[in-house]
Amino acid sequence: MRFLLGAVVSCLAVLPQVAGAAPVSSLLLEWGWQARIAAGDNDTAAAKSHPNATRWFKARVPGSIQQDLIEGGQIPDPYLGENEAAVQWVGLTDWEMRRTLDVRGALFARKHIDLVFDGLDTFATVLINGRQALVADNGHKRWRIAAKPFLKKGRNEIVVRFASPIRKLQPLVLADAHPLPAEYDSAFGDEPKGRQTSAYVRKPKYHYGWDWGPRIVSIGISGPVRLESWDDARIESFEVAQEDLNAEEARLTTKARVVADAPGKVKYYTWITGPDGKVLASSDRDISLKAGENVVSLPLTVTEPKRWWPVGYGEQPLYKVESWIMQGEVSQASAVRTIGLREVELMQDNGAFGFRVNGVPVFAKGANLIPFDMFPSRVTDADMRARLDDARAANMNMIRVWGGGYYLPDSFYDEADRKGLMIWQDFMFGGAVPPSDAAYRENVRSEAEQQVERIGSHPSVVLWAGGNEVLSGWENWSDRKDYKKAIGLDATERMSTAMTVLFDQVLRDAVTHHAPGTPYWPGSPSSGYDGPNDTDAAGDRHFWDVWSGSKPVEAYTASCPRFMSEYGFQAMPALATIRGFAGQDVLSPDSPAIKAHQKFLAGEGNERLKFYLDARLRPAKDFADFVYLTQVNQAQAIDLAARHHRACAPTTMGSLYWQLNDVWPAISWSSVDHDGRWKLLHYAAARFFAPQAIVAEHREAAVSLAFASDATKPIAAKWRLTGYAMDGSKLGEAAGSITLAPTNATRLDPVPDAKVFGSARATDSYAVAELVIDGKVVSRQIVERALPKDMAYPAPGLVATWNGKTVTITAKGLARAVMLDFATLDAKPADNGFDLLPGESREIAVASKESGAALRDALVLRSLAGA
């Protein structure tokens, strides 16, 4: 990550070259840092066990102590093998970091010298020349120190002391008869079961471990550090609010928070540049600044505005808005924002939940995004861009930024703006019950205002949500019910009221004031304080009866929720990814390294993988086949659910599966593993999230057909449903013409089995459902009346014919879920996990740095019936 919470403005203040004033200068302080175990911790067991860590060593900023220790060889890489346990002591230890700073001449002569930390993780005390300058307690905030009173001419020393968040908070938690329910218990014995410290601190919750990630309680300077020097004024934040938008004009208001050294009169200018680079409008007025903080604003009007649209619905034109504060002919401060013009409405009539963008209902297709890595500072813009590219390639139009991580950098939202990907942005609450005191809420208020000021002008951000599973957990989870019973009715009422204030006032106010054109939702899942949470009847849902509840995957089709914002099914990552963390030994689902990277059920989650393989598919022949089969199971389960959600439109208006990515190399719910390799699910997503898709569901001796379309106009199409015996002979057919309703699903009366399958047995037959537009099959689905494990699949007779790095796969018989498996070679087929009908061929390009000959030699063709 380039920065955790950078300056809100893209261009920092520029100050006049008169009367001794000079432009704001910004000096990055990313080099020259050192770290060690805090001097007061030298008698601890950690210091005795790791004496090298008590001596100053090189530290990277931004980063974490854990990263520095890994790079210095003092701890092993926790991503490899079973090394996670060996790094736990770091998060239980107090640390300190230092660097020197030479301040002389012109720099020291500036009126103001500020030390700005874009991220401190988390309990940090900053000392300048031995004097305390800051005490920080929020890992999600930017911290600014008016540092000049602490500095001296010449050599200065900055020291940052970090307290272990666990050690700092544990006495409080242990002394509480009824500590706050949090998320996941530690597997390493550093916290007693049910007595977790994570609920009490504003720090990324995933650091404490999740059911898809390790426990690495990071400590350190998590964002860039800079020294900002200025004289007369600086711009603290800059926002652009859209007041009105219609076909004729867009009315905007620019708002800058200006910090002035002294009272004075200036002129405020603002203008907007269109997507073609031409200045479209400008405005100016005289203002009087007072000493301290000032809010200055100006209107702008754009005629014939071009609207920003989600991908698939139109283009993504972007405008640049600039503001300047001038004193005479000299610039005092300037700021710039890139914006898009769009209207977003949250549809909520009669329990509905969905998005209307620029007046058009948009079915949300996408996935949940968890943090990109346990160490955000090593995530590059290219890494984030790759995952967003993956999302677009799978026909997604929405990403939910999950609330148990951290607020992402501007570059992520810039990329989403350009790609037309809508962002559902959670505030950073992962599921723990938050403290009820006013000081905690004030800390959150400051955090929320900073973050919404920074992110709120991005057109891609179409929703701010209060957090993840806090409200639904308080209402429904057994440990919360036990907690409420233990503390009594009065205390329960106080806690409930405090949560309402936090999620329905504090966070809502931040959005209302700083992103007025973007809806707010109190949490996910939620009914918006209109009845019970997490139901099909209203609001959004998290459905975990399948997988976590062990129900059959067919349970996905039992109802039509209003908006499914979480549902998921696990699979193994690519074999090449597995070998990267587990080594070259013979592997099985029960190998220690494999279990160490499976966090569901405290490492026993591979039993759930086996459970669903036994329930649906065939036994695995070996470990590589086990990897393949789990990916098939995942792809088929989510395909079933997502298509059903689309068929339920407009009752259901969104389907976001869990999860897009991984935080480390793991066995998880992701469709793209940590090394960026697509699982079969991601290939399937491109099919079930296609702009027009067929949905065929078999129930009660008939096939129900529905046709989903994202188009904003009706589309003339044809459909057919053809039954076949396993030898490829035709059994029956139903077909017809249909007009696809815009942004909706169109349903037909069920087609009786007899019309399609005749008298054939379920295990010996299948049907092919096809949607045809302009003579081309745009969507296809295989319909089976029995579980795959019971189907009498023929030998597929798969043959591969190569031409350079392009391979043609031909099937003699029906081939379900054909996988091109290149084992440990890094190779990405253009499609994978597809079905082939008898005699059918598919030409697949393979992207790889390997030679065509190496790809040919490595290829193993897999299907549910073998090769």
Side-chain angles (χ1 to χ4, degrees):
M1 183 173 68
R2 294 301 186 197
F3 55 89
L4 175 65
L5 199 147
V8 175
V9 296
S10 301
C11 180
L12 289 173
V14 179
L15 302 183
Q17 307 292 319
V18 295
V24 164
S25 64
S26 182
L27 174 67
L28 284 176
L29 304 181
E30 297 188 357
W31 305 104
W33 289 91
Q34 296 176 306
R36 70 177 182 184
I37 292 176
D41 257 14
N42 280 341
D43 293 329
T44 64
K48 294 175 181 177
S49 300
H50 306 277
N52 287 340
T54 65
R55 297 183 284 272
W56 291 108
F57 55 87
K58 183 179 178 181
R60 182 188 297 272
V61 171
S64 67
I65 297 295
Q66 284 89 341
Q67 290 170 262
D68 300 329
L69 293 171
I70 293 168
E71 292 179 9
Q74 296 197 52
I75 60 173
D77 186 342
Y79 284 21
L80 302 180
E82 302 171 76
N83 288 343
E84 180 188 354
V87 306
Q88 295 306 307
W89 67 272
V90 183
L92 295 166
T93 304
D94 294 347
W95 297 87
E96 56 189 359
M97 299 177 67
R98 72 176 184 184
R99 68 154 290 163
T100 58
L101 179 65
D102 196 45
V103 181
R104 298 179 185 274
L107 176 58
F108 193 77
R110 303 300 296 270
K111 292 180 182 178
H112 300 273
I113 304 175
D114 294 348
L115 181 60
V116 184
F117 292 89
D118 285 342
L120 289 169
D121 190 9
T122 288
F123 291 116
T125 301
V126 179
L127 298 98
I128 302 175
N129 294 325
R131 298 167 58 197
Q132 181 175 298
L134 172 71
V135 176
D137 61 353
N138 189 324
H140 298 301
K141 286 176 59 174
R142 179 183 65 249
W143 299 92
R144 179 181 291 269
I145 302 169
K148 184 163 185 181
F150 299 91
L151 295 170
K152 61 185 180 181
K153 286 185 179 180
R155 185 179 182 275
N156 295 262
E157 183 181 58
I158 302 170
V159 174
V160 186
R161 292 176 179 162
F162 292 95
S164 160
I166 298 173
R167 285 178 53 190
K168 181 176 179 65
L169 293 170
Q170 202 161 60
L172 168 71
V173 175
L174 294 179
D176 194 337
H178 307 295
L180 296 173
E183 291 96 359
Y184 290 88
D185 285 322
S186 173
F188 303 101
D190 51 333
E191 292 186 306
K193 301 294 183 184
R195 290 183 172 272
Q196 303 162 38
T197 57
S198 62
Y200 298 82
V201 57
R202 294 305 297 153
K203 173 179 172 64
K205 302 304 183 184
Y206 80 106
H207 288 172
Y208 293 86
W210 220 267
D211 56 3
W212 36 254
R215 183 178 176 90
I216 302 178
V217 184
S218 66
I219 290 179
I221 300 174
S222 53
V225 186
R226 62 188 178 276
L227 203 66
E228 288 186 5
S229 56
W230 57 283
D231 293 317
D232 292 345
R234 63 177 176 85
I235 292 180
E236 174 67 16
S237 68
F238 179 58
E239 304 169 75
V240 182
Q242 180 181 290
E243 307 293 346
D244 188 41
L245 176 64
N246 55 55
E248 289 74 33
E249 65 178 20
R251 289 191 292 108
L252 311 174
T253 298
T254 66
K255 183 174 73 173
R257 281 200 296 132
V258 180
V259 179
D261 175 70
K265 293 184 178 181
V266 297
K267 196 148 193 167
Y268 181 42
Y269 294 87
T270 189
W271 64 87
I272 185 167
T273 304
D276 60 358
K278 296 180 180 178
V279 175
L280 302 178
S282 63
S283 182
D284 64 84
R285 71 182 178 91
D286 295 323
I287 59 174
S288 295
L289 295 178
K290 64 181 181 180
E293 185 173 299
N294 303 259
V295 177
V296 297
S297 61
L298 266 181
L300 279 173
T301 299
V302 177
T303 58
E304 299 181 355
K306 296 180 179 180
R307 293 177 183 247
W308 182 96
W309 289 92
V311 60
Y313 291 82
E315 297 180 346
Q316 294 79 45
L318 298 173
Y319 294 77
K320 185 169 71 171
V321 182
E322 297 179 73
S323 287
W324 293 72
I325 295 176
M326 305 289 292
Q327 194 170 48
E329 298 295 322
V330 182
S331 166
Q332 265 201 334
S334 66
V336 62
R337 272 288 190 190
T338 300
I339 66 166
L341 304 176
R342 51 66 170 156
E343 292 177 303
V344 179
E345 178 188 353
L346 196 58
M347 300 182 292
Q348 298 182 67
D349 294 341
N350 300 316
F353 186 93
F355 295 89
R356 185 180 285 118
V357 181
N358 297 325
V360 177
V362 175
F363 188 98
K365 307 178 300 183
N368 288 263
L369 183 82
I370 64 173
F372 291 95
D373 198 88
M374 291 304 299
F375 305 119
S377 64
R378 67 185 185 186
V379 178
T380 66
D381 289 350
D383 294 330
M384 294 185 290
R385 186 182 311 116
R387 293 296 78 76
L388 293 178
D389 284 339
D390 290 338
R392 271 197 58 156
N395 288 312
M396 297 180 186
N397 59 27
M398 176 173 277
I399 297 294
R400 175 186 172 221
V401 178
W402 171 76
Y406 53 87
Y407 301 96
L408 294 167
D410 285 327
S411 55
F412 171 86
Y413 302 97
D414 290 338
E415 195 66 32
D417 292 344
R418 289 189 287 267
K419 295 184 183 303
L421 288 168
M422 297 181 291
I423 301 298
W424 168 317
Q425 178 67 52
D426 278 3
F427 284 101
M428 291 300 119
F429 291 86
V433 174
S436 60
D437 59 283
Y440 178 86
R441 289 195 297 275
E442 176 58 23
N443 196 357
V444 171
R445 183 203 60 77
S446 174
E447 164 198 322
E449 291 194 349
Q450 278 190 12
Q451 295 293 354
V452 182
E453 279 182 339
R454 181 176 68 90
I455 299 170
S457 296
H458 286 278
S460 57
V461 179
V462 298
L463 183 74
W464 284 90
N468 177 71
E469 296 182 346
V470 178
L471 301 178
S472 59
W474 180 250
E475 185 175 295
N476 299 321
W477 293 357
S478 60
D479 65 331
R480 273 60 168 170
K481 292 180 179 179
D482 292 342
Y483 174 77
K484 288 185 280 190
K485 183 178 179 180
I487 64 175
L489 291 176
D490 289 345
T492 296
E493 181 64 25
R494 287 194 297 272
M495 292 290 293
S496 297
T497 300
M499 276 190 273
T500 301
V501 172
L502 178 61
F503 293 109
D504 202 35
Q505 293 182 25
V506 173
L507 298 180
R508 185 185 297 276
D509 286 351
V511 176
T512 300
H513 294 153
H514 299 289
T518 302
Y520 173 79
W521 192 240
S524 182
S526 172
S527 65
Y529 295 104
D530 188 23
N533 295 308
D534 203 14
T535 71
D536 289 336
D540 67 312
R541 277 220 72 183
H542 292 187
F543 185 81
W544 287 102
D545 289 6
V546 177
W547 185 262
S548 295
S550 300
K551 286 190 175 181
V553 298
E554 290 74 21
Y556 283 133
T557 67
S559 64
C560 289
R562 296 302 191 144
F563 192 108
M564 189 66 84
S565 50
E566 274 193 28
Y567 63 101
F569 201 96
Q570 273 201 2
M572 301 290 289
L575 187 59
T577 299
I578 294 170
R579 287 299 182 189
F581 71 77
Q584 301 304 312
D585 292 342
V586 175
L587 295 174
S588 77
D590 297 320
S591 296
I594 298 298
K595 294 181 70 173
H597 288 250
Q598 165 62 276
K599 294 301 181 180
F600 181 66
L601 295 179
E604 299 302 324
N606 291 338
E607 293 302 314
R608 191 63 51 88
L609 288 172
K610 295 176 187 177
F611 168 82
Y612 276 109
L613 288 186
D614 291 343
R616 297 194 71 252
L617 302 182
R618 59 171 172 79
K621 299 171 184 176
D622 52 32
F623 184 71
D625 198 41
F626 179 79
V627 171
Y628 160 72
L629 289 172
T630 65
Q631 290 199 16
V632 172
N633 228 7
Q634 180 192 41
Q636 290 187 348
I638 302 304
D639 181 287
L640 179 70
R643 287 183 192 266
H644 178 74
H645 298 153
R646 297 192 72 184
C648 286
T651 299
T652 303
M653 284 303 291
S655 181
L656 309 180
Y657 67 73
W658 187 271
Q659 64 206 59
L660 176 64
N661 62 317
D662 273 326
V663 75
W664 77 321
I667 299 95
S668 79
W669 295 267
S670 70
S671 59
V672 181
D673 72 26
H674 188 258
D675 288 354
R677 298 184 175 98
W678 287 20
K679 299 181 186 178
L680 296 185
L681 168 57
H682 208 77
Y683 290 97
R687 296 188 281 270
F688 60 66
F689 281 153
Q692 285 75 44
I694 194 166
V695 183
E697 297 178 346
H698 184 266
R699 57 168 65 91
E700 298 179 356
V703 179
S704 296
L705 291 174
F707 308 90
S709 177
D710 295 337
T712 57
K713 296 180 180 180
I715 295 178
K718 296 182 182 297
W719 65 273
R720 56 179 175 258
L721 180 65
T722 310
Y724 294 97
M726 286 300 174
D727 63 5
S729 60
K730 187 174 177 180
L731 299 174
E733 185 178 69
S737 299
I738 191 170
T739 299
L740 305 185
T743 66
N744 210 330
T746 306
R747 286 166 285 278
L748 297 178
D749 291 336
V751 180
D753 280 358
K755 186 174 180 63
V756 179
F757 299 105
S759 59
R761 293 191 305 175
T763 56
D764 297 333
S765 59
Y766 61 96
V768 180
E770 295 173 302
L771 175 62
V772 182
I773 299 176
D774 294 332
K776 179 182 178 181
V777 176
V778 298
S779 182
R780 186 172 83 174
Q781 188 180 357
I782 300 292
V783 182
E784 295 174 342
R785 295 176 290 162
L787 290 169
K789 69 177 182 178
D790 297 322
M791 294 294 289
Y793 295 131
L798 294 171
V799 176
T801 305
W802 284 89
N803 181 14
K805 294 185 181 181
T806 299
V807 60
T808 300
I809 310 299
T810 303
K812 181 178 180 181
L814 174 68
R816 294 297 317 274
V818 176
M819 181 184 188
L820 283 68
D821 187 349
F822 293 94
T824 58
L825 287 192
D826 201 2
K828 182 181 179 180
D831 197 6
N832 218 348
F834 49 84
D835 299 318
L836 288 175
L837 302 180
E840 189 174 23
S841 296
R842 285 286 306 277
E843 185 177 276
I844 305 294
V846 182
S848 178
K849 294 180 180 179
E850 303 289 341
S851 68
L855 294 172
R856 181 188 64 235
D857 293 343
L859 176 64
V860 174
L861 293 175
R862 301 185 185 276
S863 79
L864 287 182

